[in-house]
């Protein structure tokens, strides 16, 4: 968990490689639907472009389908989910129906002041969802994804006028969920202003301790 731009997607992809965990990212799933022009994508896009949460009915349908599609014997790494108390309750239900539970909640902490600079310089690959930062984590070839050569784009919700709304939603709806997990003793916090590699080492150490 963590505010927009804290590095959740970047670290989730790195942990997929190190721990064979399967990332479940509603944001990526939604962007794929938008890209494919499905009716679900069309419904979601107006919320995304406004920096608002997409309705639970859509999110839960996507997440449940993804849990059923993925390999049940490997772990899941939720990225950007749950984002509200009602989603947290629904996640508990989805997991208990599958005899699974939450091993730990990693919180990537980042001050609001650092977020704007990160998001305005973020570019993403529309094909594989890998994200880059033009200064701190640039692609090897300008404008192209290292993994598949696809032209990088700026997310429509990384515009300055939407970022403020996303931060407001984070503080109002998502921060209480972090508190809920903190009371259960599940939260491990990391300073996300550090270099990607430093954060990666710390996330890996936490995961190593709580998974094995
Ligand atoms: P992300 O890629 O995680 O930053 O998500 C991008 C956008 O997708 C968010 O600003 C929301 O509009 C939508 N979204 C992603 N995850 C969720 C979620 N768990 N609940 C509701 N909306 C979501």
């Amino acid at each position: 968990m963590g505010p927009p731009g804290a590095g959740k997607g970047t670290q989730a992809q790195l942990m997929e490689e190190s721990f064979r965990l399967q990332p479940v990212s509603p944001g990526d799933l939604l962007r794929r639907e938008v890209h494919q022009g499905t009716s679900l994508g069309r419904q979601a896009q107006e919320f995304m472009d406004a920096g608002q949460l997409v309705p639970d009915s859509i999110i839960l349908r996507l997440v449940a389908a993804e849990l059923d599609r993925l390999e049940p014997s490997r772990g899941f790494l939720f990225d950007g989910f749950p984002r509200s108390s009602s989603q947290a309750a629904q996640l508990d239900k989805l997991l208990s129906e599958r005899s699974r539970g939450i091993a730990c909640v990693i919180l990537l902490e980042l001050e609001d002041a650092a977020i704007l600079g990160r998001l305005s310089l973020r570019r993403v690959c529309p094909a594989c969802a890998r994200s880059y930062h033009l200064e701190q984590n640039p692609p090897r070839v300008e404008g192209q994804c290292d993994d598949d050569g696809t032209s990088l784009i700026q997310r429509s919700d990384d515009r300055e006028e939407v970022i403020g709304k996303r931060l407001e939603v984070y503080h109002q709806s998502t921060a209480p969920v972090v508190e809920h997990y903190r009371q259960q003793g599940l939260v491990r916090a990391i300073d996300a202003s550090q270099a990607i590699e430093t954060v990666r080492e710390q996330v890996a150490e936490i995961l190593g301790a709580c998974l094995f």
Side-chain angles (χ1 to χ4, degrees), residues 98-156:
R98 290 164 178 77
S99 308
R100 309 298 291 256
I102 298 173
C104 67
V105 175
I106 299 180
L107 174 64
L108 299 184
E109 292 182 307
L110 191 64
E111 296 284 327
D112 285 4
I115 289 171
L116 185 63
R118 283 211 180 177
L119 293 184
S120 56
L121 292 179
R122 171 157 75 177
R123 297 294 179 274
V124 296
C125 173
C128 72
R130 181 165 169 181
S131 72
Y132 299 85
H133 185 278
L134 293 182
E135 286 169 1
Q136 280 149 31
N137 179 30
R140 283 195 295 269
V141 177
E142 194 184 326
Q144 285 181 21
C145 179
D146 291 355
D147 292 338
D148 51 39
T150 304
S151 294
L152 301 179
I153 57 164
Q154 181 168 34
R155 276 172 48 171
S156 55

Side-chain angles (χ1 to χ4, degrees), residues 10 40 53 58 87 90 98 105 107 113 132 141 165 177 190 195 197 203 205:
T10 299
L40 191 150
L53 293 184
I58 294 181
Q87 289 184 8
Q90 303 265 17
R98 290 164 178 77
V105 175
L107 174 64
Y132 299 85
V141 177
K165 180 66 192 171
V177 185
I190 293 176
E197 178 55 22
V203 173
E205 197 182 319

